Amino acid sequence: MWDGAVLNRELLVPEDHFEVGKYWGPGAVILLLLVLLTEVGLSTRQESLSWDEGDHIYSGYMNWKHREYSLNPEHPPLVKLVATLPLLPLDLKVAPRQDRYFKAEAYYGGRELLFRNDPKYGGRYNADTLLFRIHMTVLVFAVVLALLLFLAGREMFGATAGLIAMTLFVFDPTVLTNAPFVTTDMGAACGFFAAVYTFYRFVKAMSWQRAVVCGFVVGLALATKHSVVLLLPILVLLAAGDVAGRWKAARRWPGHDALRILLGLGAIAAIALFVLWGVYSFHYAMHLVGVNMPTLASEMGPLSPLMKRLISISAHYHLLPESYLFGLADVQAVGLEMPTYIFGRLYAHGQWFYFPVLLTLKWSLGVLGLLALAIYAFATGKVRRPREAFFLALPALFYLVVAMAGPLNIGVRHVLPVFPFAFALAGAGAASLVCRRRAWAFVVGALLLCHAVDSVRMFPNYMPYANVLWGGPTKTHLYFSDSATDWGQELKWTKLWVDAHNVKECWFAYFAAPFLLPSDYGIPCKPLPTLDTMYEENIFLPPVVHGPVLISFADLNGFELGTKVRNPYQNLFERKPDDVIANGIAVFNGDFPLPEAAALAYEQQARKDLKKDPRSALSAAQQAVALAPNGFDANMALGEAFMATGNQTAAREAYQTALRRVPEMEPTSQEYWRPILEKKLADLGQRQ
């Protein structure tokens, strides 16, 4: 094999050394699984529904009931189907469709499904009961992944390595955050690792049984999240590396083995494709029912020519389900438009260093220390398992590099598939040192204890975790945003806060509104407008807002708007909060004029009316500018309205006012907005 015949008989450590894990491994595995179930079960009871969960839950439920794939097609259905299994025997009321945009329809449908089946509305189940059943069901992906980490670690490096890797997984705050959520991330991490592990077992001892198992697992993995499509090139690279290792070891071309691996890859791909189609019930068409959805061709508009070509060919020949192809296009298009918030600065698009830096914040000192030990152990030859190291390191690095090159920087959950590979390598390195010299056990034990204590201290709110090198969870919002800190999971803690402070009236800019509302949890706050509410409803504000004012950190920093110049709450962002709820929601006491926020409703009204009623659009835009005379978006809306009504001179003045705000923007935002405004002004010059 990789190092000749030695590889087949070489032990991880000399035979006379004590391999701790093999004596009490099964008991430790059971204990760790119980710890995982307890941590998640107790913490999820205290959290509210997070941003995307209602969307996933509703689409999964409707998928079971009606085989609908036009709801939430941006994510494959496997996790949603598993999560909603406990809802199937229940008598639940489903709100009628309103022919809304497909994403809004799923979000609103999820809210109705969970909150309008409460006994106070004539239903039989409150949202907490339904959500707890769902969360404990979808936890199966984390449980399976924890077991796989032990099994893979034991097979590759010994039982001790498997136990260390499993311990890191079970106590990791990011894992505990995402384990109960009905989103694609934990399912993708589980499927990704399971696929690589079963492929490792296939190339190690090739048989048709192992190829079938691997193909089945790869198919399920592809049905968890679109980014798992990276498995396809990764498996090819792993196969090529294994053949190269055999060639080097035998010093001759392993033609027979290469042919068997190639045939195995073909069989795995065929089985995986069959399984993926099976998850979609072997239906190509999405079958639109009561939703407003763009065509696949229009959804591909922002994509690269290569991706357009691949998706078009797949659609023309029905190689993949239409819903899967639509989602593949949608997630890429959304990523291209999503800004980034890092180190307190806004960027118009993703930054390559985002994920590496975020991992140094989200991994505990225990994990970072064990990874450093693993690098030392592998670099110094204390672990001589080149095939195993290759099968763990390559997928993790490949996935991370692709994520770094991508535009979507909204939380560590998007690189969750890297975690099990990193933990397995950390376990291998630590186990090799412990088994060679007992003194290393104290170092490894201290790092594991540090990791576990860090995790326990975060209970029950794991999401805003940051290690002590970054100042802990109270500082996370200063460096990162979105699901790195706040994903709308704090409403129960917010309810406790308003009750404790006897708050009867307040204002709330809530990250997940309008698809999930504070009022769903009995919070008596009036809504403040955000980017997401702006597209769904008009929220009109008085000249002065009387506090307390609550603002989700993800809205307070204005990252979705791409620049501080467009942030309607920039003045509050620059002010220290009077209190913070669950490290995710800022509280400001006092009276505050919020002109830029008040202008949002008029700006959006102007955009809506621009084509059908330009004069109405002009009136709305003028009201926006009256509230925020130097507002960037207000003057952009005013310029568009004047253009629509034929007043080019006034349009020029409005655009020039907006252009004067561009130098205040961050560099990447200037690069984005300056050409847009200069083109508008140049077009005006040509018309005149």
Side-chain angles (χ1 to χ4, degrees):
M1 295 295 180
W2 288 67
D3 284 328
V6 176
L7 184 63
N8 289 325
R9 62 175 183 270
E10 181 188 9
L11 296 174
L12 176 66
V13 295
E15 292 184 20
D16 57 346
H17 276 60
F18 179 55
E19 231 285 61
V20 292
K22 68 181 181 181
Y23 293 98
W24 40 269
V29 168
I30 294 172
L31 178 61
L32 287 172
L33 290 178
L34 290 175
V35 168
L36 176 62
L37 291 169
T38 302
E39 289 172 314
V40 173
L42 293 177
S43 63
T44 193
R45 279 286 197 183
Q46 301 183 52
E47 293 180 314
S48 59
L49 188 72
S50 63
W51 220 120
D52 288 345
E53 287 190 281
D55 178 21
H56 289 268
I57 291 168
Y58 181 65
S59 60
Y61 183 75
M62 298 306 289
N63 193 314
W64 278 118
K65 291 294 185 178
H66 304 291
R67 290 293 183 265
E68 290 188 37
Y69 297 97
S70 58
L71 293 165
N72 191 233
E74 60 268 32
H75 302 294
L78 181 62
V79 175
K80 297 175 281 187
L81 291 172
V82 171
T84 50
L85 277 171
L87 301 186
L88 299 182
L90 306 182
D91 181 21
L92 299 177
K93 297 185 296 183
V94 179
R97 298 286 173 80
Q98 298 184 29
D99 197 29
R100 291 174 287 214
Y101 183 60
F102 72 102
K103 293 186 181 183
E105 195 69 56
Y107 277 111
Y108 285 122
R111 178 172 175 261
E112 292 295 313
L113 182 68
L114 291 168
F115 290 95
R116 296 301 177 264
N117 277 283
D118 192 279
K120 65 183 179 183
Y121 297 112
R124 300 175 60 186
Y125 309 95
N126 63 40
D128 280 350
T129 298
L130 295 176
L131 195 59
F132 184 73
R133 294 184 184 186
I134 292 167
H135 279 176
M136 297 310 290
T137 302
V138 82
L139 182 59
V140 66
F141 290 102
V143 170
V144 169
L145 183 48
L147 283 170
L148 285 174
L149 265 172
F150 172 72
L151 295 173
R154 183 180 65 177
E155 181 173 350
M156 292 178 172
F157 304 103
T160 302
L163 284 176
I164 293 173
M166 189 177 179
T167 301
L168 292 177
F169 180 85
V170 164
F171 285 101
D172 187 83
T174 298
V175 168
L176 295 172
T177 293
N178 290 279
F181 282 172
V182 188
T183 57
T184 57
D185 306 295
M186 184 57 69
C190 177
F192 204 88
F193 187 80
V196 171
Y197 176 45
T198 53
F199 187 66
Y200 159 80
R201 301 193 80 242
F202 165 72
V203 298
K204 191 175 73 167
M206 285 179 275
S207 67
W208 68 265
Q209 294 95 332
R210 291 192 173 191
V212 169
V213 170
C214 183
F216 183 76
V217 171
V218 171
L220 292 179
L222 291 172
T224 60
K225 189 171 183 173
H226 285 101
S227 62
V228 179
V229 74
L230 294 176
L231 265 177
L232 304 180
I234 285 173
L235 293 184
V236 172
L237 290 174
L238 290 174
D242 193 79
V243 170
R246 295 168 187 263
W247 191 0
K248 179 181 177 182
R251 296 181 180 176
R252 60 182 177 83
W253 171 248
H256 180 66
D257 288 342
L259 179 60
R260 294 179 68 192
I261 290 176
L262 182 62
L263 292 174
L265 275 174
I268 289 167
I271 295 169
L273 186 61
F274 180 83
V275 171
L276 179 62
W277 272 99
V279 175
Y280 283 90
S281 304
F282 298 100
H283 290 167
Y284 171 75
M286 286 190 286
H287 299 301
L288 307 186
V289 179
V291 295
N292 180 1
M293 178 175 283
T295 64
L296 177 59
S298 64
E299 197 71 5
M300 291 191 294
L303 304 187
S304 67
L306 177 60
M307 283 305 303
K308 288 181 183 179
R309 182 65 176 162
L310 291 174
I311 294 175
S312 297
I313 291 173
S314 298
H316 180 75
Y317 292 103
H318 290 195
L319 300 179
L320 291 167
E322 184 183 24
S323 180
Y324 187 88
L325 294 173
F326 187 95
L328 194 61
D330 180 81
V331 294
Q332 293 183 78
V334 169
L336 292 172
E337 299 173 355
M338 184 65 70
T340 293
Y341 179 85
I342 182 170
F343 298 143
R345 292 179 61 85
L346 289 166
Y347 297 88
H349 44 71
Q351 300 297 304
W352 68 267
F353 53 85
Y354 177 88
F355 287 114
V357 173
L358 184 55
L359 287 173
T360 68
L361 178 144
K362 287 294 184 180
W363 277 339
S364 70
L365 293 186
V367 171
L368 295 174
L370 288 169
L371 285 173
L373 290 184
I375 292 172
Y376 164 75
F378 280 96
T380 56
K382 291 179 173 55
V383 185
R384 294 185 295 276
R385 294 294 178 110
R387 172 192 275 160
E388 287 71 15
F390 177 68
F391 268 75
L392 292 175
L394 184 137
L397 290 174
F398 190 97
Y399 198 98
L400 181 60
V401 168
V402 172
M404 289 167 61
L408 195 59
N409 292 167
I410 55 173
V412 72
R413 63 191 178 91
H414 288 287
V415 291
L416 197 61
V418 172
F419 279 54
F421 295 96
F423 293 163
L425 288 168
S432 71
L433 296 175
V434 168
C435 294
R436 287 177 179 275
R437 183 174 296 179
R438 299 286 179 84
W440 279 110
F442 296 101
V443 178
V444 172
L447 290 171
L448 287 174
L449 180 62
C450 173
H451 178 64
V453 168
D454 233 13
S455 174
V456 171
R457 289 173 60 188
M458 284 300 300
F459 176 86
N461 184 22
Y462 298 106
M463 181 171 290
Y465 173 80
N467 63 45
V468 294
L469 294 177
W470 288 86
T474 61
K475 305 295 184 183
T476 310
H477 71 277
L478 300 177
Y479 311 117
F480 297 96
S481 190
D482 203 278
S483 59
T485 302
D486 160 37
W487 214 21
Q489 80 284 1
E490 313 97 342
L491 286 185
K492 288 187 178 181
W493 295 309
T494 304
K495 171 61 174 171
L496 293 176
W497 185 92
V498 298
D499 288 347
H501 291 78
N502 197 30
V503 173
K504 302 302 181 184
E505 293 185 5
C506 49
W507 293 86
F508 199 167
Y510 176 52
F511 190 39
F515 306 117
L516 180 63
L517 298 177
S519 59
D520 293 328
Y521 288 90
I523 298 169
C525 291
K526 298 176 182 177
L528 287 171
T530 67
L531 178 69
D532 296 291
T533 61
M534 185 172 68
Y535 291 105
E536 297 295 325
E537 58 183 318
N538 289 334
I539 298 175
F540 296 97
L541 302 182
V544 176
V545 169
H546 303 288
V549 173
L550 283 60
I551 306 183
S552 298
F553 275 133
D555 287 317
L556 183 61
N557 58 44
F559 90 96
E560 289 183 302
L561 295 162
T563 171
K564 63 183 180 181
V565 170
R566 302 182 66 207
N567 182 8
Y569 303 109
Q570 184 64 25
N571 288 340
L572 290 177
F573 175 71
E574 295 171 357
R575 168 180 171 158
K576 182 180 178 180
D578 296 303
D579 203 353
V580 174
I581 302 170
N583 292 316
I585 295 173
V587 179
F588 300 93
N589 295 318
D591 298 333
F592 305 98
L594 299 172
E596 289 84 1
L600 288 175
Y602 297 104
E603 293 162 10
Q604 186 60 15
Q605 189 63 50
R607 296 187 189 99
K608 289 180 179 178
D609 292 344
L610 194 60
K611 291 185 178 179
K612 62 181 181 181
D613 190 350
R615 292 198 175 278
S616 176
L618 178 60
S619 176
Q622 288 172 330
Q623 288 176 287
V625 170
L627 289 166
N630 292 315
F632 179 83
D633 286 280
N635 279 282
M636 287 289 288
L638 184 61
E640 295 293 328
F642 274 130
M643 282 290 294
T645 54
N647 191 338
Q648 297 181 11
T649 300
R652 175 180 291 277
E653 292 177 1
Y655 287 144
Q656 286 175 337
T657 301
L659 183 60
R660 285 194 289 270
R661 299 297 308 276
V662 171
E664 302 173 37
M665 294 180 175
E666 298 79 2
T668 57
S669 297
Q670 291 185 38
E671 294 171 5
Y672 177 82
W673 283 109
R674 190 182 299 278
I676 292 175
L677 280 160
E678 288 178 345
K679 185 177 186 304
K680 288 181 180 294
L681 290 169
D683 290 344
L684 278 172
Q686 291 176 1
R687 293 186 184 187
Q688 292 176 344

